[in-house]
Every structure is written in structure tokens, then in C-alpha cells.
Amino acid sequence: MDTKSPVQTHTIKLSELKFGVSAKITALQLDGVQRQRLLTMGLVIGKEIRLRNRAPFGDPRIYTIMGYDLTLRNKDAEKILIEPLTPAA
């Protein structure tokens, strides 16, 4: 039996997501108003997210989630844990 998976699953921060890689949100490490704000914007556990673009110096970044674009600062993206679904190109 082959135990190797074509995509190794591991949890990383959203701010570490590479171009061309889709990921599933696994946790929000926020409380209170900040957590509610991100949930309202669609950052819900289990949703798929992809890095679409970034500013010239890397902050903020634009992510695509549920068919719309969402701009997040890296300080917020560092508090969102994801599991990459596709390997980096």
C-alpha cells in the first residue's frame, strides 16, 4: 500500500501562502471583534482561499475567497492558519 500523498498536508500561516497555491482555512487565532470582523468577511474555517496579488513590498496582499477579492495586512494574515491544497509551482 502506497502511503505517500501527492500533496503533503501541513498547517502554515496565511501570510506564508505562495502564488498558485490554494489552501483551506483551518483556524483563526483571534478573539473578540477582530475574529468577528474576519468571519464577517468570509474567513470561515473550511473555506478555500488563494493568494491573488500583493503590494510591491509584500504588504498588504490580495486573496480570493468565495469568488471575491479580499485585502489583508500581513499582521492579520499571520493569525489565520491554513492547509495548502495544491503544491507550489
Side-chain angles (χ1 to χ4, degrees):
M1 182 170 135
D2 185 6
T3 59
K4 292 183 179 179
S5 171
V7 177
Q8 292 184 348
T9 58
H10 61 283
T11 301
I12 62 172
K13 296 175 183 175
L14 181 59
S15 59
E16 299 170 342
L17 186 63
K18 305 288 185 204
F19 283 106
V21 178
S22 294
K24 180 175 69 174
I25 298 171
T26 59
L28 301 176
Q29 296 181 321
L30 299 158
D31 293 321
V33 174
Q34 285 185 319
R35 181 183 178 87
Q36 189 60 45
R37 181 176 64 90
L38 294 179
L39 288 170
T40 302
M41 291 191 295
L43 293 163
V44 178
I45 293 172
K47 291 293 180 187
E48 189 172 327
I49 191 165
R50 174 183 284 260
L51 176 62
R52 181 175 169 269
N53 207 347
R54 63 185 174 133
F57 293 105
D59 191 22
R61 292 175 170 211
I62 301 171
Y63 299 93
T64 300
I65 183 168
M66 297 190 311
Y68 74 93
D69 294 334
L70 174 66
T71 302
L72 284 177
R73 296 255 176 227
N74 286 343
K75 69 176 185 175
D76 292 328
E78 288 177 356
K79 297 172 184 169
I80 301 167
L81 299 182
I82 58 170
E83 182 177 292
L85 298 174
T86 56

